[in-house]
């Protein structure tokens, strides 16, 4: 069985979050629910449910998500309860944006700070372009920005 590990006040999930995932004992839970999700590769509906239950068991603790992979951002947009009881968009501190290079058809994810994101009405060009590591061409955001970042609207 795999579960969350507490390391220096960080909550580190296993790569796969399922119904079998275990959570820290109450006495081991940090004062801030500060999740580092960079190693998260998969999450199922039971894992989502259990994560929500864990968050609800600690309603007075601040909630933060760091290094959110694309799959978790997409889940946040559907399951708003993951944002905690106040559903504050500042809960997400950093996240991956999916990019595509039209020059060589390469896909990549780039980690950005949430505070650096600029939401623009009906635009998909508010985020910084990145240079493709393979061919050097500019990579473009591979999602509709307002849809992908809808959790930030509250």
């Amino acid at each position: 069985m795999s579960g969350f590990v507490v390391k220096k006040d960080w909550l580190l999930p296993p790569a796969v979050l399922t119904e079998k995932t275990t959570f820290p004992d109450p006495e081991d839970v940090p004062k801030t629910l500060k999740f580092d999700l960079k190693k998260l590769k998969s999450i199922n509906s039971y894992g989502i449910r259990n994560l929500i239950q864990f968050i609800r068991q600690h309603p007075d603790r601040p909630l933060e998500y760091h290094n959110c992979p694309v799959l978790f951002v997409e889940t946040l947009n559907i399951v708003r309860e993951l944002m905690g009881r106040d559903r504050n968009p500042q809960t997400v501190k950093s996240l991956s944006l999916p990019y595509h290079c039209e020059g060589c058809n390469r896909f990549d994810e780039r980690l950005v700070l949430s505070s650096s994101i600029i939401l623009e009405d009906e635009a998909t060009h508010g985020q910084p372009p990145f240079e493709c590591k393979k061919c050097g061409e500019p990579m473009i955001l591979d999602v509709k920005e307002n849809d992908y970042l809808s959790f930030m609207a509250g």
Side-chain angles (χ1 to χ4, degrees):
M1 221 190 285
S2 62
F4 278 83
V5 174
V6 178
K7 189 171 185 178
K8 295 184 180 182
D9 293 331
W10 287 90
L11 290 159
L12 309 174
V16 179
L17 196 57
T18 69
E19 64 278 7
K20 295 180 181 178
T21 302
T22 59
F23 289 84
D25 292 329
E27 64 272 7
D28 296 328
V29 176
K31 292 179 181 166
T32 298
L33 300 179
K34 193 162 63 167
F35 294 93
D36 182 348
L37 303 175
K38 70 180 161 198
K39 294 187 178 178
L40 186 66
K41 302 291 181 215
S42 177
I43 185 169
N44 71 16
S45 60
Y46 295 107
I48 293 167
R49 179 197 63 196
N50 292 345
L51 181 56
I52 291 168
Q53 288 174 345
F54 177 76
I55 293 166
R56 287 180 180 163
Q57 290 170 358
H58 307 283
D60 297 327
R61 296 183 192 215
L63 174 63
E64 296 180 3
Y65 294 116
H66 297 260
N67 303 311
C68 298
V70 170
L71 75 100
F72 192 77
V73 174
E74 291 171 341
T75 302
L76 282 175
N77 286 320
I78 297 167
V79 186
R80 298 294 171 102
E81 290 83 5
L82 286 168
M83 300 291 286
R85 70 175 176 203
D86 61 354
R87 300 200 176 132
N88 182 350
Q90 267 58 50
T91 296
V92 176
K93 302 299 183 183
S94 58
L95 66 141
S96 290
L97 294 174
Y99 280 84
H100 175 246
C101 176
E102 292 180 344
C104 67
N105 202 32
R106 182 175 183 273
F107 293 88
D108 199 5
E109 293 182 15
R110 298 295 177 105
L111 187 68
V112 297
L113 294 175
S114 299
S115 59
S116 72
I117 292 175
I118 302 165
L119 294 176
E120 296 184 9
D121 291 335
E122 301 301 320
T124 57
H125 59 278
Q127 305 322 311
F130 288 99
E131 190 175 284
C132 180
K133 293 176 185 175
K134 184 176 177 185
C135 72
E137 292 292 318
M139 297 186 84
I140 59 170
L141 198 58
D142 195 41
V143 290
K144 289 185 178 179
E145 185 175 343
N146 289 338
D147 292 342
Y148 183 73
L149 300 172
S150 68
F151 73 90
M152 295 182 84

